[in-house]
Amino acid sequence: MTSLPAASGPLQPVRAVEPVGPRYVVTGPGNLPAPIAVLVCALAYAAFSQGAFYVRELVTCTALLAAAAVATARAHGRSTVNAVPFVAVLAAAWAVASATLGGNAAAAAGPVALALCAGAAFVVVRAGSRSERESFATALLAVGCCVAVLGWLGVVLRVVPLALPDQQLWRAASSLTYANATAGLLVPLARLTERRALATRVAATLLLTGTLATLSRAGYLALAIGGVVLAARGGGVRRLVAAGWRPSLGALVAFAGLLPSMPASAPPRPFVALLALAGGVAAQALPRDRRTVQAVAGTAAALVVLAAFGAAEPLADATRRVGAARVTVASPDRAGEWSATWRVAREHPVTGVGPGNLDISWPAADGRLVMRAHYTHNEYLQLFAEQGAVGLALALALLAAAARSLRRTRREDAAPDWLAAGAAAALAAFLVHSAFDFVWHIPLIPLAVLAVVAAAGPAVDRKAVP
């Protein structure tokens, strides 16, 4: 793939019948079969509806994914059955049981919908051919770029809730309206951009810029871990650097221009931010030869331009503020949440207290206030407390089944290197981030990651559609 496909724009109604091997499928723009096109629509809808966090949006996504899964099952029959949807059904059943034992059966609706949607998304993408799955991954990158740009705009223009002030700094929250969740989506997608095509480098620049703008420490850690996995699966550090140095340089230049607009006590500088973003994107057109000299020269030129527009002092001040607030491993709230949640988990180790019943409290650092929360900023620990060891084991089994599919790719339907390595890196980044934020409560994030993993796995056996 060398450019973003037509599927990255608004999806049109079904419009053609195209032969694919021994079967025929109904397709939409970009040669995406109708079920995968519906999945893209569902994920795009969730991306611009706060990640489908609230009930109405989650119901809409569930309905779309159910329709896509039914169409896929009708086209492929039993060949769509595999471990991931099977474990997803078990996880949904246990959520109902745990909620019932906890005295609030209705609270199982969210976990049940998420589990079934995860299984459906995996089935729908897995049924696609190699080219269809590549097109799906690229369409998802286009959605991610839109989310990244919205977060950047939120900071530059101080638009709430696209950006939100935290610790006297404006952080990109984008359409998900939560900075850490935005990083939780952009980081896995950024690991799908190892290809060296110009359009892919531009996408990588935007995704990395959006990630940096969230100021999410867990997001930065997940990005680093994903990079290690990508290097291991994608041909080594040298290949990773060769593919990623220009997007990384462009993102750093764009972030440098955005920094002066981030302190809440300083006025925004949209012109400087726009100039830096344009420079970062333009850097993707640099030729590959003499890259070290060009990188240094380009960075120096960008800093000179920023200084010429009076941004040198605000940039230095913003860097100090961001460093003081975010360059630290200390997180008293998380420490209190984890300790309180662990106490609940020890008291209900098997069945948990039930989904939605977690209500924790702990003393604040000053000892005078009592803090309360319903989210732990650690999905493994929260699931253990809410659904017990059984619920946690089923969730880990689902993730393990998805990861195992990356190792079972047959030669005849193998995903391209960039997608196979990127999916492994995306899953690793997601697993790391899940230990520091409640990203599973934003359905878009686990659904997007599992769909990407499915895109990199083996395709189902094909059969003709009557």
Side-chain angles (χ1 to χ4, degrees):
M1 303 297 297
T2 58
S3 62
L4 295 177
S8 62
L11 296 173
Q12 303 297 324
V14 170
R15 60 180 178 142
V17 176
E18 177 192 3
V20 180
R23 74 183 180 107
Y24 289 84
V25 296
V26 181
T27 66
N31 292 327
L32 284 177
I36 296 183
V38 171
L39 172 61
V40 173
C41 287
L43 295 178
Y45 170 79
F48 304 118
S49 301
Q50 296 178 282
F53 177 80
Y54 293 103
V55 174
R56 183 176 64 180
E57 288 77 15
L58 180 56
V59 168
T60 301
C61 287
T62 303
L64 290 171
L65 285 172
V70 169
T72 300
R74 291 184 63 183
H76 298 279
R78 294 183 180 179
S79 61
T80 60
V81 178
N82 61 80
V84 172
F86 177 74
V87 177
V89 171
L90 291 179
W94 176 252
V96 173
S98 177
T100 302
L101 292 172
N104 186 10
V112 167
L114 177 59
L116 296 181
C117 283
F122 197 89
V123 164
V124 169
V125 177
R126 182 173 174 265
S129 67
R130 169 174 170 152
S131 62
E132 290 165 355
R133 286 180 282 153
E134 285 187 74
S135 295
F136 164 77
T138 311
L140 192 56
L141 284 178
V143 174
C145 288
C146 292
V147 172
V149 171
L150 285 176
W152 179 88
L153 282 172
V155 174
V156 169
L157 302 179
R158 304 280 172 88
V159 178
V160 176
L162 297 181
L164 297 171
D166 179 28
Q167 296 180 298
Q168 299 301 309
L169 296 169
W170 283 90
R171 299 174 59 189
S174 192
S175 51
L176 275 67
T177 68
Y178 177 40
N180 293 334
T182 300
L185 175 67
L186 298 183
V187 168
L189 296 183
R191 287 310 174 199
L192 296 178
T193 55
E194 192 209 2
R195 292 169 293 173
R196 301 179 184 180
L198 176 59
T200 306
R201 294 199 302 271
V202 171
T205 302
L206 296 177
L207 291 169
L208 291 173
T209 300
T211 298
L212 293 173
T214 65
L215 298 181
S216 171
R217 293 171 293 182
Y220 294 171
L221 176 62
L223 185 67
I225 298 299
V228 172
V229 174
L230 187 60
R233 288 290 301 267
V237 175
R238 183 174 181 179
R239 180 175 176 180
L240 177 63
V241 171
W245 74 270
R246 280 174 287 187
S248 298
L249 170 65
L252 289 173
V253 170
F255 184 58
L258 184 64
L259 270 172
S261 297
M262 300 189 88
S265 59
R269 296 176 178 270
F271 180 74
V272 172
L274 179 61
L275 189 66
L277 180 63
V281 171
Q284 305 320 302
L286 290 175
R288 293 178 56 189
D289 57 328
R290 300 186 301 276
R291 56 178 176 264
T292 302
V293 174
Q294 291 168 344
V296 173
T299 304
L303 293 176
V304 169
V305 171
L306 291 176
F309 284 95
E313 184 175 347
L315 175 60
D317 179 65
T319 301
R320 287 192 296 269
R321 291 173 182 266
V322 169
R326 306 301 298 171
V327 184
T328 174
V329 297
S331 183
D333 287 344
R334 279 179 172 78
E337 291 169 354
W338 293 349
S339 177
T341 304
W342 177 244
R343 288 195 299 270
V344 174
R346 285 186 302 173
E347 294 171 1
H348 306 83
V350 179
T351 62
V353 297
N357 290 340
L358 184 64
D359 186 2
I360 53 176
S361 60
W362 67 96
D366 58 11
R368 294 177 295 177
L369 298 176
V370 175
M371 310 295 290
R372 296 188 64 182
H374 297 284
Y375 300 108
T376 301
H377 287 83
N378 183 321
E379 290 289 10
Y380 309 106
L381 187 55
Q382 176 148 3
L383 188 60
F384 186 21
E386 289 191 340
Q387 298 188 36
V390 177
L392 178 59
L394 286 171
L396 294 178
L398 189 151
L399 293 169
R404 187 167 180 264
S405 72
L406 294 175
R407 302 180 59 184
R408 298 179 60 190
T409 303
R410 299 189 300 272
R411 179 174 299 178
E412 63 269 21
D413 58 16
D417 290 343
W418 69 267
L419 183 53
L427 181 60
F430 171 72
L431 294 176
V432 170
H433 201 151
S434 298
F436 298 96
D437 280 306
F438 47 93
V439 291
W440 297 0
H441 286 76
I442 314 295
L444 168 66
I445 299 173
L447 293 181
V449 171
L450 284 174
V452 165
V453 172
V460 303
D461 294 330
R462 306 256 172 158
K463 74 174 186 177
V465 178

